Amino acid sequence: MLIEEYQPQSIQDIQDAIKDLLGDTLESMLKAELDEHLDYEYGETPLSLEIPLITFFI
């Protein structure tokens, strides 16, 4: 049981337990949302940054 495993003594202990239990899951969900929204995976270079900059002198 959650209370037996974490033995919370304060509200901060409860918050830390929840963060420990859900942190990785929420992070994965947020990364997936960003991947979908930005149209590239987390850690990849977006296509717009792969195009070399060309300077023209007039």
Side-chain angles (χ1 to χ4, degrees):
M1 184 176 232
L2 182 65
I3 294 174
E4 293 171 355
E5 184 177 338
Y6 286 94
Q7 300 177 356
Q9 302 296 317
S10 67
I11 292 175
Q12 184 63 44
D13 292 342
I14 295 170
Q15 289 176 338
D16 291 341
I18 291 171
K19 190 185 305 180
D20 185 41
L21 292 170
L22 299 177
D24 291 338
T25 302
L26 290 174
E27 183 178 359
S28 297
M29 290 170 58
L30 289 172
K31 283 182 180 178
E33 282 289 320
L34 278 172
D35 292 349
E36 183 68 26
H37 178 72
L38 297 175
D39 212 21
Y40 62 90
E41 286 191 32
Y42 178 80
E44 287 183 353
T45 304
L47 181 60
S48 62
L49 294 178
E50 291 179 359
I51 300 171
L53 296 176
I54 300 172
T55 306
F56 294 95
F57 295 101
I58 299 177

